[in-house]
Amino acid sequence: MYKIVRKKVLRPTVTQLEIEAPLVARKAKPGQFIILRVDEEGERIPLTVAGTNPEEGTVKIIFQVVGATTEMLNHVPEGGYLQDFVGPLGNATETEGINKVCIVGGGVGCAIAMPVAQEFHRLGAEVTSIIGFRSEDLVILEDEFNECSNKLIVMTDDGTYGRQGNVTVPLDEMLAAGEKFDMIITIGPLVMMKFVTLTAKKYDAPITVSMSPIMIDGTGMCGGCRLTVHTEEGDKMKFACVDGPDFNGYEVDFDEAISRGRMYFDYERHAHEETCNLYKMADNA
Amino acid sequence: MALDPKKHEMPAQDPQVRAHNFDEVALGYTEEIALAEAQRCLNCKNKPCVAGCPVNVNIPDFIMKIKEKDYEGAYQIINKTSTLPAVCGRVCPQETQCEAKCTMGVKFEPVGIGRLERFVADWHNENATEKAEAPESNGHKVAVVGSGPSGLTCAGDLAKKGYKVSVFEALHTAGGVLVYGIPEFRLPKAIVAREVEGLKDLGVDLETNVIIGKTLTVDELFDMGYEAVFIGSGAGLPSFMNIPGESLKGVYSANEYLTRSNLMKAFRDDPRTPIMKGGKVAVVGGGNVAMDAARTALRLGAEHVYIVYRRSMEELPARAEEVEHAKEEGIDFRLLNNPVEILGYNNPDDPRDPKNGFVTGIRCIKMELGEPDASGRRRPVPIEGSEFELDVDAVIMAIGTSPNPLIKNTTKGLEVNRRGGIVVNEDGLTSREAVYAGGDAVTGAATVISAMGAGKLAAASIDEYLSSK
C-alpha cells in the first residue's frame, strides 16, 4: 500500500498528490510515468510523474478527473492509501544537446510538461513555455512555470485568462519571427499535439511529442499502447511504454492514435457516470 | 486382470454449460477413477516417462503410492522435483512429454500421468494439514526476477535449501503468466495463490510492483547484498503480423486480451477494466494462447469464434486436450488460412461516426502445405487468388512474443541473441557472473513446464556456485 502524504486541490477537477514510494522517487526522471491502482478491484492507469522528492521518498502526480478511476482517486483522502503504485516507466525526456527549448503544454498535460521545463532550467537551457487551458478556472502551475521559464505565455481558449487562443498561435508567431529552438516539446491532448506538430512543420522545427495511450502493464507485455510511426524505412509499430513515451512528432500517426484512444469511450463515459452517482448517493446518505 | 487399453476419461463440465462460465472445465479424477487409472501403470524398470519430464518427476514411484492409497506419500515424491504439481497436472503438454514415452502408449493409450498428478496435488491441497516450514538459513541472499513458473520454481528450490530468496514481480499480483495469461477455466487462480503462499511459508519474500530494469537494476540488486540473481522475466512484446489494419479498434494482442480478462477481471459482470464482449471474434494462431483467447472470447459472450491458423491440424502446437475442449465448445477452426488484412469501418461522409476505425472483418488467403521448413514442419504456401473475408468484430493476435527489452537495456554485459533472448550456458548462467536466466526470457514463448525446468536448473547452478564460493 502506498500512502498519500499530501493532497492539494489545484482546481475543482485537478488534484495534486504526493505519494510515498521511495524506490520510484529515487529513480523517476522528467518524462517518465507511473501506473497505479486505487483499490484491489481497480484498473491500472498510467499517470506521468509531476515531480519527486527522493529525500522524503515521495512522488508527485497531478491528474484531472476524467473518468471512473480518476474520480475514485480524487476521493482518497490525504493520509489514505493506494493499492498499487509502480514505476518509473518509459524513458526520460532527452535533454542532451538542447540549449534552447520551447515547452508547449495543454491542460493537465502541463503537469507533465512542468518537470521537463524544470529539468531544462536546472541544466541551464533557455526555456520558453507556452501553456494553454480551456478557461481561467482550469489554469494550473503558472507560478511553477514562471520560476523555470525565461519566457512564459499563458493561453486560454475563451480568453478568460492570459491571451485568448490556442497554444499554436504564439508558437507560430515566434517561429515566423525567426526564433530557432533546438527542440519543441509538446505535452497535452492528442489533437493539440497534432496541431503543434503541424505548426512546427511549417518552419521545419524539430518537435518531440509525449504520447499517453491506453495501456495495462506498462512494461512492454500487453501491446495495447502500440502506435504507428512513419519513418524513412516505412511504417513501424512502436510501443509507447518501452519505446516512448516521447516520439518525434513528425513520425507519429496522430489520427490513428486519436481513434485508438476512443476505443472504450462509451464504456468509460458510462463507468464515470455510475461512479459519480455512487458518490452522490453516499454523500446524500 | 486385463489391462484397460484406454486412459480413464477426465470428468468435465458439459461443453454447452461451460462455454458460458469461467469455472474450471476439467473436474479432476475421483479417488475411484484415480485408483483404477493407477492400476494401468506397468511400473517399468527403465521408467521412460521420467526422462520425458522436463523436471524428471519420479512418475512410477508416485503412481505406486496412489495404488497404496498413500496420496500424501505420492505428493511428497512429486514435490521432491516439482514445485507446482497442481499447476503442472493441469497445464503440462503431457502428450509430448511423459505420456509420449509411456510403455503402455506403445500399444494402447498411455497412462493418464497428468491427470494422476493433478489428483495427488488436489488431494494434498484439500487434506494436508502441515504447513511447509522455512528451513534453517544458510546466510546467502538470492534475488529472483519475475514470479512466473521459472521464478517460482527457482525460488522454491533455493528456499528449500536454506537460501534467503526475494522474488521481484512487476505486476500487482504474483504468478506471472499463470495469473495474467492462463484463464481461470483452465487454471483456477486460487491454485496459483496457494502455490505462492506455500513459497512464503518457506520464507520466500515476495515484492510486487517492482520492475527490475526500471525500479531497480540488476546491478543494484548486487549492491543490496544479493549474491546471485535469476532472471525469469518472461514473455515480452507481443508479435503482430505486420499486415494492414492491426491498429484498428478491436484488434488485440492475446497478451492484452487475456490480461484484461484474467488479471484485471474484465470477465466479471461489472468490471473496472473494459474489454470488447460479444460479436464475432477471430483468433489468429494455433498455440495454447490462441486456444485460451478463443475460449475466453466465447465465455465473454461471443456469438461465433474462429481460430485462423496457417498450417493444418497436424502442425497445430496447442495441447491436445485444449484443442478437443475448444472443438467441443464450438470454436470454428479455419485451418490452412492466413490473414492478409484486417478490415475496418470508415464512413466517408462522417469522420465523426463513432463506428469509424472499428474492426469489421478479416481477409484471409488459403494455404497449402509445401516442403518441410527449418522447424521440420511442412511450410504453408499461399494459394494464389484464394482470398476470402470473414465478418468479425474483434481480432486477437496470438502469434507469439519477443523477449522484454527492459533488463537487457539496463544490464551491462548481458548478452542476448539475435531475437533478444538472454543467452545462457548449459547451467543457466548468463554472460554476467552470478546472473542466471531461464524461461521465456531466454527461449521466447514456450511452455510452463519448460520454464519450470529452467528455473530448477538455475537453482541447482546457483546453489553450486554459492556453496563453493
Side-chain angles (χ1 to χ4, degrees):
Chain A
M1 301 286 273
Y2 301 81
K3 188 177 180 181
I4 297 180
V5 180
R6 274 179 295 280
K7 178 175 181 175
K8 191 172 160 191
V9 178
L10 301 183
R11 288 290 171 179
T13 60
V14 183
T15 304
Q16 172 178 301
L17 299 178
E18 285 171 77
I19 294 150
E20 205 168 72
L23 291 178
V24 184
R26 217 157 49 90
K27 276 287 167 66
K29 296 214 162 54
Q32 290 188 296
F33 61 96
I34 56 92
I35 281 184
L36 64 79
R37 287 202 313 156
V38 177
D39 59 31
E40 58 184 311
E41 297 292 315
E43 66 172 335
R44 294 170 67 94
I45 59 160
L47 286 170
T48 303
V49 173
T52 57
N53 184 338
E55 287 75 38
E56 193 193 37
T58 55
V59 178
K60 192 190 286 178
I61 54 169
I62 295 174
F63 63 95
Q64 186 164 19
V65 177
V66 291
T69 297
T70 41
E71 186 75 53
M72 280 182 250
L73 181 59
N74 206 29
H75 274 78
V76 184
E78 185 171 283
Y81 289 84
L82 301 180
Q83 181 73 26
D84 296 294
F85 192 89
V86 60
L89 295 155
N91 301 304
T93 297
E94 186 59 67
T95 52
E96 207 150 299
I98 299 172
N99 300 312
K100 190 173 171 184
V101 66
C102 181
I103 308 284
V104 185
V108 78
C110 294
I112 310 165
M114 181 192 58
V116 176
Q118 287 172 333
E119 178 71 359
F120 278 108
H121 178 69
R122 190 183 70 80
L123 293 169
E126 186 186 330
V127 180
T128 300
S129 299
I130 306 171
I131 55 176
F133 305 91
R134 272 211 308 275
S135 167
E136 194 263 335
D137 62 345
L138 289 169
V139 175
I140 52 168
L141 304 171
E142 189 184 1
D143 292 345
E144 284 83 351
F145 271 103
N146 241 330
E147 270 170 37
C148 64
S149 308
N150 299 72
K151 185 176 176 185
L152 172 68
I153 302 161
V154 185
M155 305 291 292
T156 53
D157 293 353
D158 59 5
T160 46
Y161 192 80
R163 264 185 78 177
Q164 198 257 319
N166 293 324
V167 289
T168 49
V169 175
L171 179 67
D172 198 314
E173 285 169 4
M174 280 189 269
L175 294 172
E179 192 89 72
K180 296 263 185 258
F181 298 104
D182 296 328
M183 188 57 76
I184 300 166
I185 298 174
T186 183
I187 306 169
L190 284 168
V191 177
M192 183 200 90
M193 293 197 291
K194 176 183 169 178
F195 282 96
V196 172
T197 300
L198 290 173
T199 304
K201 203 170 189 171
K202 273 167 66 180
Y203 304 95
D204 251 344
I207 180 159
T208 297
V209 299
S210 175
M211 304 298 284
S212 50
I214 293 171
M215 60 178 72
I216 304 177
D217 63 301
T219 64
M221 186 271 280
C222 81
C225 68
R226 64 190 184 275
L227 50 95
T228 303
V229 294
H230 308 295
T231 70
E232 281 173 10
E233 300 109 62
D235 287 358
K236 285 203 174 118
M237 184 186 286
K238 294 280 181 186
F239 298 98
C241 68
V242 291
D243 297 321
D246 290 356
F247 290 91
N248 177 349
Y250 290 164
E251 295 183 348
V252 171
D253 188 330
F254 282 106
D255 293 340
E256 179 190 288
I258 290 167
S259 174
R260 283 185 64 77
R262 293 175 67 87
M263 179 152 170
Y264 298 108
F265 184 74
D266 287 342
Y267 176 90
E268 284 162 353
R269 197 176 48 187
H270 176 73
H272 190 193
E273 280 167 12
E274 294 256 297
T275 310
C276 289
N277 288 340
L278 285 175
Y279 282 121
K280 270 185 209 145
M281 274 162 61
D283 287 347
N284 292 338
Chain B
M1 190 177 68
L3 279 172
D4 197 335
K6 289 205 166 211
K7 184 172 6 183
H8 288 79
E9 270 190 38
M10 180 62 125
Q13 270 197 77
D14 182 83
Q16 302 304 319
V17 176
R18 73 184 190 231
H20 305 289
N21 70 46
F22 276 86
D23 298 338
E24 193 170 15
V25 168
L27 301 171
Y29 277 172
T30 59
E31 182 176 1
E32 196 186 353
I33 307 176
L35 285 169
E37 183 63 25
Q39 292 303 330
R40 298 182 65 238
C41 175
L42 304 172
N43 197 13
C44 349
K45 274 218 172 73
N46 57 346
K47 304 178 184 185
C49 51
V50 178
C53 172
V55 298
N56 306 119
V57 167
N58 199 333
I59 294 162
D61 282 21
F62 96 74
I63 296 179
M64 288 312 112
K65 288 286 178 193
I66 295 178
K67 288 185 188 175
E68 295 165 17
K69 295 193 183 181
D70 177 6
Y71 307 125
E72 182 58 23
Y75 177 84
Q76 291 309 331
I77 289 169
I78 300 173
N79 197 231
K80 263 188 220 161
T81 49
S82 169
T83 320
L84 312 167
V87 174
C88 293
R90 287 171 167 82
V91 304
C92 264
Q94 290 93 3
E95 70 268 18
T96 60
Q97 298 177 353
C98 51
E99 293 181 21
K101 303 279 168 72
C102 176
T103 310
M104 274 292 278
V106 178
K107 277 196 174 166
F108 310 113
E109 282 190 6
V111 176
I113 299 169
R115 294 169 185 181
L116 289 174
E117 180 184 30
R118 170 178 164 172
F119 168 77
V120 167
D122 287 355
W123 188 94
H124 170 84
N125 284 340
E126 259 167 51
N127 297 289
T129 44
E130 273 178 47
K131 267 191 170 180
E133 267 181 43
E136 202 176 318
S137 167
N138 65 13
H140 291 293
K141 278 173 75 182
V142 177
V144 169
V145 181
S147 64
S150 72
L152 291 180
T153 302
C154 186
D157 278 16
L158 288 169
K160 283 178 195 164
K161 292 198 167 95
Y163 289 88
K164 182 70 197 140
V165 183
S166 299
V167 178
F168 297 95
E169 168 57 46
L171 289 171
H172 55 259
T173 307
V177 72
L178 306 175
V179 168
Y180 76 74
I182 302 177
E184 181 77 16
F185 58 82
R186 198 149 78 81
L187 178 63
K189 300 310 147 218
I191 288 172
V192 182
R194 186 152 28 198
E195 302 286 1
V196 171
E197 282 310 308
L199 286 187
K200 287 186 186 163
D201 293 340
L202 284 172
V204 172
D205 169 42
L206 189 73
E207 302 277 346
T208 52
N209 294 330
V210 179
I211 305 165
I212 303 303
K214 285 288 178 189
T215 318
L216 293 168
T217 63
V218 169
D219 289 296
E220 284 170 319
L221 292 174
F222 286 109
D223 295 342
M224 289 160 72
Y226 294 101
E227 296 161 82
V229 175
F230 173 73
I231 302 169
S233 52
L237 305 170
S239 300
F240 287 84
M241 293 184 70
N242 204 15
I243 57 174
E246 285 180 310
S247 292
L248 289 165
K249 286 172 280 191
V251 182
Y252 290 92
S253 75
N255 273 3
E256 179 183 359
Y257 190 76
L258 291 170
T259 301
R260 282 179 184 273
S261 181
N262 300 333
L263 178 71
M264 305 312 298
K265 312 292 177 208
F267 68 82
R268 291 186 185 160
D269 287 338
D270 190 14
R272 301 266 186 84
T273 299
I275 195 165
M276 284 179 73
K277 295 181 180 179
K280 293 178 182 155
V281 179
V283 178
V284 180
N288 286 319
V289 175
M291 299 305 130
D292 287 346
R295 298 169 71 199
T296 296
L298 196 66
R299 285 160 173 77
L300 287 174
E303 57 193 75
H304 199 94
V305 182
Y306 301 99
I307 289 272
V308 178
Y309 179 57
R310 65 197 181 116
R311 300 177 195 254
S312 73
M313 191 55 94
E314 209 165 293
E315 292 85 17
L316 192 115
R319 193 171 174 259
E321 188 172 284
E322 309 313 325
V323 178
E324 273 321 298
H325 283 161
K327 281 188 189 163
E328 288 168 8
E329 289 164 16
I331 304 289
D332 186 353
F333 283 75
R334 297 300 180 102
L335 305 173
L336 288 166
N337 285 172
N338 203 27
V340 291
E341 183 180 359
I342 300 167
L343 310 165
Y345 189 83
N346 182 30
N347 182 345
D349 301 323
D350 182 8
R352 291 182 165 269
D353 188 330
K355 286 193 294 225
N356 282 347
F358 275 95
V359 170
T360 57
I362 184 166
R363 180 177 291 135
C364 303
I365 189 164
K366 292 185 177 161
M367 311 289 276
E368 58 190 355
L369 293 177
E371 295 300 307
D373 62 12
S375 72
R377 299 181 295 181
R378 291 176 65 192
R379 184 196 301 275
V381 187
I383 303 171
E384 218 174 301
S386 67
E387 284 96 340
F388 65 98
E389 286 171 15
L390 295 172
D391 291 341
V392 294
D393 307 286
V395 175
I396 301 164
M397 288 292 177
I399 54 169
T401 58
S402 59
N404 193 304
L406 294 183
I407 291 178
K408 170 195 77 176
N409 292 348
T410 53
T411 311
K412 273 201 188 118
L414 188 71
E415 199 185 317
V416 298
N417 62 26
R418 193 170 44 81
R419 294 173 144 189
I422 299 170
V423 176
V424 294
N425 71 6
E426 65 280 4
D427 299 323
L429 179 67
T430 70
S431 55
R432 278 279 306 263
E433 192 190 343
V435 178
Y436 297 77
D440 285 5
V442 169
T443 57
T447 60
V448 168
I449 188 73
S450 67
M452 286 180 52
K456 199 161 197 61
L457 172 78
S461 302
I462 290 170
D463 178 43
E464 200 180 312
Y465 166 73
L466 290 180
S467 52
S468 65
K469 211 171 124 178

